[in-house]
Amino acid sequence: MLVLGIESTAHTFGVSVVDANKKKVFSNIMDSFSTEQGGMIPGDVGRHHVGCCQEVIQQALDKAGVKISQIKLISFSQGPGLGNALKVGATAARSLSLIHNIPLVGVNHCIAHLEIGRMLTPAKDPILLYASGANTQVIAFEEGKYRIFGETLDTGIGNFIDTFARYLGLGFPGGPKIEQLAKEGRKNSNFIELPYSIKGMDVAFSGLLTNIRHKISKDMKEGKFTKEDLCYSVQETVFAMLIEVSERAMAHCGKTELVLGGGVACNKRLQKMCDIMCKERSTKSQSCKSFVVENQFNVDNGAMIAWLGYLKFKAEGPQKIEDTAVRPYERTDDVQVAWR
Ligand code: AMP
Ligand code: MG
């Protein structure tokens, strides 16, 4: 069954053709909004998606070698996300569905990150550490729902990293650049003590941001440390916070698998820290394992939307057009899960 998935919650307009029965991704095309300087302005992101949507959809079909008439289901990300961005994907999905008479479903973006992990890795019932631009959540399936066991109280970890990068004069997205600088900084092992902010099972980054801004304008200017040292120290600190909450969620839920998802999951150091935590949790009788998908499926992508759309469609059938309004503030635990 060929499914067309359309992702447009934030900076990325992504379209994918997936053969759901064979669990094969035939194409996964994306066009992402970026800047040389400054961050994401919702209106600009919406205009970016309008500008590229037709081309990205066509490329996804061409690369898969299929015609729109062969598509049996259209799935789109219904929320959460930026209203301006979500509406472009939803409108494209509705139009294709109506014109070509193809069933339509809208899905939750955060859960899609988890389900693509279950599709592409051996993980069966994992904890998801979803570390992306706007979202930072530790999610698990418990008592018939995807529930959030810990999350950010302010900004998402990716947005935090991007803001930090902006303070250093780097463009958007900052994550990959910070990762490179941190790798250099690691060689010096000049670790700078920073605020470590966990409240219960939740994390917070805004206090740390203020602290860093102060350190950049004072201590770094005075030559007390380099920007590489700071990147290394920031990464170690914030990733340790995420790992601590993930580990406690694993202990609480009695789960032995961890799946990483979201753009920040592309970070090799975060992947390594997850591996180390799982190894250290393993005992003779029970091994713990962490899994990560290819980068193209960590970042926002149409393939995960297609796959979750298929699961939902199989369980519930198509959605009525009048139920396809976007849901910018939808929570992971609002979603009824009929497919598990
Ligand atoms: P998403 O919203 O899931 O598409 O993820 C986008 C976020 O991932 C942005 O904030 C990027 O800065 C961040 N990101 C991408 N690659 C990396 C990386 N290698 N290390 C850390 N963050 C990254
Ligand atoms: Mg995402």
Side-chain angles (χ1 to χ4, degrees):
M1 176 171 170
L2 292 178
V3 186
L4 184 86
I6 302 180
E7 156 59 30
S8 78
T9 53
H11 43 73
T12 297
F13 194 88
V15 182
S16 169
V17 176
V18 171
D19 185 332
N21 303 104
K22 294 190 183 136
K23 291 192 177 181
K24 269 194 103 138
V25 179
F26 285 156
S27 62
N28 191 33
I29 310 291
M30 47 194 97
D31 193 322
S32 295
F33 173 82
S34 65
T35 67
E36 289 292 323
Q37 256 192 346
M40 260 199 287
I41 297 167
D44 292 348
V45 177
R47 277 184 286 281
H48 166 270
H49 292 356
V50 169
C52 72
C53 65
Q54 190 186 1
E55 177 69 23
V56 176
I57 292 168
Q58 196 55 55
Q59 275 186 28
L61 291 168
D62 291 348
K63 174 124 193 263
V66 301
K67 295 200 174 62
I68 187 77
S69 55
Q70 292 170 268
I71 299 289
K72 295 290 177 275
L73 175 69
I74 293 173
S75 174
F76 71 100
S77 47
Q78 198 165 1
L82 299 173
N84 279 323
L86 283 167
K87 280 179 193 163
V88 183
T91 306
R94 271 184 225 114
S95 311
L96 287 172
S97 164
L98 289 170
I99 295 166
H100 301 282
N101 198 21
I102 303 169
L104 179 65
V105 289
V107 301
N108 177 281
H109 173 94
C110 310
I111 295 177
H113 274 290
L114 194 142
E115 290 295 357
I116 191 99
R118 294 208 308 139
M119 171 192 168
L120 297 174
T121 76
K124 290 197 167 55
D125 184 24
I127 295 276
L128 172 73
L129 169 54
Y130 173 34
S132 80
N135 299 292
T136 301
Q137 298 180 339
V138 175
I139 303 170
F141 186 74
E142 284 280 288
E143 307 272 326
K145 264 191 174 184
Y146 283 101
R147 296 177 196 271
I148 301 169
F149 286 84
E151 65 186 314
T152 177
L153 296 173
D154 40 44
T155 172
I157 176 132
N159 288 358
F160 159 80
I161 292 174
D162 294 333
T163 308
F164 169 45
R166 214 152 64 227
Y167 292 168
L168 292 178
L170 308 167
F172 172 84
K177 294 165 196 151
I178 299 286
E179 180 176 16
Q180 268 323 105
L181 292 167
K183 220 166 138 184
E184 290 303 311
R186 199 176 178 73
K187 295 177 190 158
N188 277 337
S189 18
N190 181 14
F191 182 79
I192 303 146
E193 205 65 52
L194 295 164
Y196 183 90
S197 178
I198 293 194
K199 299 174 186 180
M201 285 292 280
D202 296 326
V203 293
F205 301 108
S206 54
L208 179 54
L209 259 186
T210 309
N211 184 283
I212 293 171
R213 192 163 56 185
H214 196 71
K215 282 199 166 68
I216 292 173
S217 63
K218 193 169 176 290
D219 299 350
M220 207 171 94
K221 251 196 184 144
E222 290 169 7
K224 289 191 182 146
F225 51 78
T226 64
K227 65 172 182 286
E228 286 82 0
D229 295 335
L230 188 61
C231 291
Y232 158 66
S233 308
V234 166
Q235 266 199 189
E236 294 297 304
T237 304
V238 293
F239 292 169
M241 284 158 50
L242 299 185
I243 301 284
E244 180 182 330
V245 174
S246 305
E247 177 167 20
R248 280 202 265 138
M250 287 175 87
H252 176 78
C253 300
K255 297 198 196 285
T256 56
E257 298 164 326
L258 177 69
V259 163
L260 262 169
V264 183
C266 298
N267 189 292
K268 291 277 180 283
R269 179 62 188 155
L270 179 60
Q271 294 177 7
K272 179 91 186 285
M273 286 168 82
C274 289
D275 268 343
I276 294 170
M277 181 269 277
C278 285
K279 277 204 186 89
E280 288 180 352
R281 273 194 74 68
S282 295
T283 59
K284 267 188 199 139
S285 55
Q286 193 174 59
S287 87
C288 290
K289 216 166 171 298
S290 89
F291 300 90
V292 63
V293 292
E294 267 177 60
N295 280 356
Q296 63 163 324
F297 303 117
N298 269 327
V299 296
D300 290 350
N301 65 89
M304 66 181 191
I305 301 302
W307 176 244
L308 178 54
Y310 166 74
L311 296 176
K312 193 174 163 192
F313 178 75
K314 251 197 340 180
E316 298 176 2
Q319 219 157 305
K320 292 192 201 115
I321 284 286
E322 57 267 34
D323 296 333
T324 59
V326 299
R327 300 171 184 158
Y329 300 105
E330 184 173 66
R331 295 268 305 166
T332 302
D333 41 16
D334 285 341
V335 176
Q336 295 304 317
V337 179
W339 62 90
R340 277 188 76 166

